[in-house]
Amino acid sequence: MPRPTTPRTATTQWKRIRTRLIHTRTHQCHHCGTALDPKAKRGEPGAIEIDHLIPYVERPDLAHDPNNLVLSCRPCNLAKGGKPHGQPFQPRAHTLPLPTSQQW
Ligand SMILES: [Zn+2]
């Protein structure tokens, strides 16, 4: 029976890498230095996200390379998105959360 396709971050391999990174790296955003909380759930302030320094779209072969992975806060990860490697980006304000903000 073929396995159902899963999103990239739902694979066992990815979860293992993510767990190892969180255990071995400083709990700080690589980009802005914000303290990260390993207990925070996805979407909560301080939640840890794993960012690809060289975006997946550019180098899918580095998707699981620890040298290409850093801990990031969500605002930075969102702001960086799939921007080409080396291109500056503006981390968003860290006054989260503003889920119902209509400032844009
Ligand atoms: Zn950040």
Side-chain angles (χ1 to χ4, degrees):
M1 202 166 72
R3 293 178 58 187
T5 53
T6 50
R8 195 157 44 87
T9 54
T11 63
T12 307
Q13 185 186 15
W14 177 256
K15 284 177 184 166
R16 207 171 284 155
I17 290 168
R18 183 189 156 84
T19 301
R20 200 178 64 199
L21 286 172
I22 291 173
H23 277 289
T24 56
R25 302 276 173 94
T26 305
H27 295 153
Q28 209 175 34
C29 175
H30 174 82
H31 304 291
C32 71
T34 294
L36 299 171
D37 179 4
K39 293 196 189 80
K41 296 195 177 67
R42 187 176 171 83
E44 290 179 357
I48 295 175
E49 304 213 350
I50 308 296
D51 178 40
H52 293 82
L53 285 175
I54 303 175
Y56 179 79
V57 289
E58 274 184 60
R59 292 291 302 272
D61 56 311
L62 296 180
H64 297 128
D65 184 337
N67 295 321
N68 189 41
L69 300 173
V70 294
L71 303 192
S72 171
C73 68
R74 182 157 182 79
C76 285
N77 202 12
L78 281 177
K80 185 166 174 282
K83 282 193 174 59
H85 181 51
Q87 184 172 311
F89 70 95
Q90 190 65 52
R92 298 187 186 184
H94 287 86
T95 51
L96 293 176
L98 293 171
T100 56
S101 169
Q102 303 207 346
Q103 67 185 103
W104 307 113

